[in-house]
Amino acid sequence: MNAQADSKSQTHRERGAFPRAAQADAPAQTEAVYSDVLRELVGHLRQQRSQLCEEWARRIMSAAFLSTMTTEEILVECGAVYDNYLGTLETGSTEALEAYARDLSGRIIPRGVETYEVVGIVLLLRDVLARSLFGKYGEHREILERILDAYEPAANRIANTVAVGFVQERERIIRQQQEAILKLSTPVLPVRERLLILPIIGIIDPQRARQLTEQLLNGIRLNRAKVVVIDLTGVSGVDASVANHLVQTVEASRLVGAEVIVTGISPEIAQTLVTIGVPLGKMATVGDLQGGIEEAERLLGYKVVPIDNKSLELEP
């Protein structure tokens, strides 16, 4: 019996019937192999840095990417991106690469670089590096497969990180430009002490209406304004939502201490205000901008005094 048990135990050991220890060691062994492969991969790419960066820059220019940049600028950026690329391959962390991608995007977007160019240059780098790996390990299929197994997932992750970072930075810059345009399109103008004019031109959508209110309230606070003239002469029409927002703007201005006079209301806007049931008693209106300014000056205590025509005559 003991002989048979020993024989079975030996057979089980030979066939791997006691897998727990082996299974426990397998992840650690796999991780060690992966680390060794990755270390060899990064070492090779670092050794070939100058050659591969130059090849990458040449292919970027051949594809007519980054055409607004000089050759020297492209070479400098290629070197910086390459180093961050290898750092991500080596550590697995994309934090440094993400920071550099945002910084680079902020510098090249104003120069007209498009999203497809950024994606294209990252894919070109991936291709250049892959060709180098094939050249070194092509005759050793097993080693090449291990190298590519380590490289491809990391390369895909890096390409996605750079592309997403560029798109996010581009959207941020576009939002900033839109906000700047909105501010220019709805200027709050101080006419005299404690008197502001807000001339509105074009289409008012809910987003612009909110931005307009914010600008006006800030202008009232900064200028310590007592009267505001909102001129709608350049606005052809508004929907019910924007009309309600206009009324809320008048009320909000009153709460921070400024009376609002609305001028230049078109027949279409007047019909909208009546249709939605706006309490017009709360809104002071005047036909045109000149009349609105005169009413504002009256509220502020200014008095227009006619000047004798003779006093305007020049001495001979």
Side-chain angles (χ1 to χ4, degrees):
M1 291 289 292
N2 291 338
Q4 290 178 352
D6 292 341
S7 176
K8 288 181 180 180
S9 297
Q10 178 66 26
T11 302
H12 285 315
R13 283 194 294 272
E14 291 174 353
R15 293 180 180 177
F18 299 101
R20 291 184 180 179
Q23 287 177 352
D25 292 340
Q29 292 174 354
T30 302
E31 182 67 25
V33 170
Y34 178 82
S35 298
D36 290 342
V37 170
L38 199 57
R39 192 161 38 249
E40 181 176 351
L41 162 65
V42 172
H44 166 70
L45 296 179
R46 277 216 171 91
Q47 189 176 24
Q48 301 295 316
R49 180 185 185 278
S50 298
Q51 177 184 341
L52 295 178
C53 280
E54 290 176 4
E55 172 64 14
W56 183 31
R58 185 189 64 77
R59 294 190 61 180
I60 288 173
M61 290 182 282
S62 296
F65 293 150
L66 306 181
S67 58
T68 60
M69 299 173 63
T70 65
T71 301
E72 291 74 15
E73 288 175 326
I74 292 175
L75 286 171
V76 169
E77 298 296 356
C78 282
V81 173
Y82 190 95
D83 291 338
N84 279 281
Y85 195 102
L86 292 192
T88 300
L89 281 176
E90 187 172 30
T91 65
S93 171
T94 61
E95 185 175 349
L97 181 63
E98 288 173 358
Y100 181 79
R102 285 193 299 270
D103 179 67
L104 175 62
S105 299
R107 287 185 280 113
I108 64 178
I109 289 173
R111 301 179 67 169
V113 177
E114 299 291 341
T115 304
Y116 76 88
E117 294 182 78
V118 173
V119 174
I121 64 177
V122 173
L123 294 179
L124 282 178
L125 176 58
R126 175 183 170 176
D127 184 64
V128 167
L129 300 188
R131 288 174 181 270
S132 176
L133 297 175
F134 272 99
K136 180 174 177 60
Y137 301 106
E139 295 181 359
H140 307 280
R141 185 176 182 83
E142 184 178 346
I143 298 176
L144 178 62
E145 288 179 354
R146 290 205 306 268
I147 291 288
L148 294 180
D149 285 344
Y151 171 69
E152 288 184 347
N156 291 338
R157 184 184 178 199
I158 291 170
N160 183 66
T161 297
V162 173
V164 169
F166 180 86
V167 171
Q168 290 176 341
E169 183 65 16
R170 185 181 184 86
E171 290 176 349
R172 186 188 66 80
I173 291 175
I174 290 174
R175 284 195 300 272
Q176 284 183 337
Q177 292 172 340
Q178 289 174 336
E179 290 172 0
I181 291 171
L182 283 174
K183 288 180 180 178
L184 291 174
S185 64
T186 53
V188 178
L189 306 175
V191 177
R192 62 170 73 238
E193 187 178 1
R194 307 273 177 114
L195 172 57
L196 300 178
I197 294 179
L198 179 62
I200 305 175
I201 300 173
I203 298 172
I204 305 179
D205 57 18
Q207 179 183 356
R208 188 183 178 196
R210 287 191 296 271
Q211 187 265 344
L212 179 153
T213 301
E214 181 181 344
Q215 273 189 263
L216 179 58
L217 296 178
N218 286 335
I220 292 171
R221 181 177 58 83
L222 291 174
N223 294 278
R224 302 175 63 197
K226 290 297 184 181
V227 183
V228 176
V229 178
I230 298 179
D231 183 53
L232 302 179
T233 304
V235 180
S236 58
V238 295
D239 60 19
S241 173
V242 173
N244 273 313
H245 202 96
L246 178 62
V247 175
Q248 292 169 8
T249 300
V250 173
E251 290 295 321
S253 299
R254 187 173 292 132
L255 287 174
V256 295
E259 292 295 325
V260 176
I261 300 170
V262 182
T263 65
I265 295 179
S266 67
E268 292 80 7
I269 296 177
Q271 289 177 3
T272 301
L273 292 174
V274 171
T275 300
I276 66 175
V278 170
L280 299 177
K282 296 183 178 181
M283 184 182 296
T285 61
V286 177
D288 57 25
L289 180 58
Q290 181 177 347
I293 293 176
E294 291 173 355
E295 177 63 16
E297 289 176 334
R298 187 188 67 78
L299 292 174
L300 289 171
Y302 291 102
K303 184 178 181 181
V304 178
V305 179
I307 300 176
D308 188 355
N309 290 335
K310 291 182 181 180
S311 65
L312 298 178
E313 293 179 359
L314 297 174
E315 292 288 333

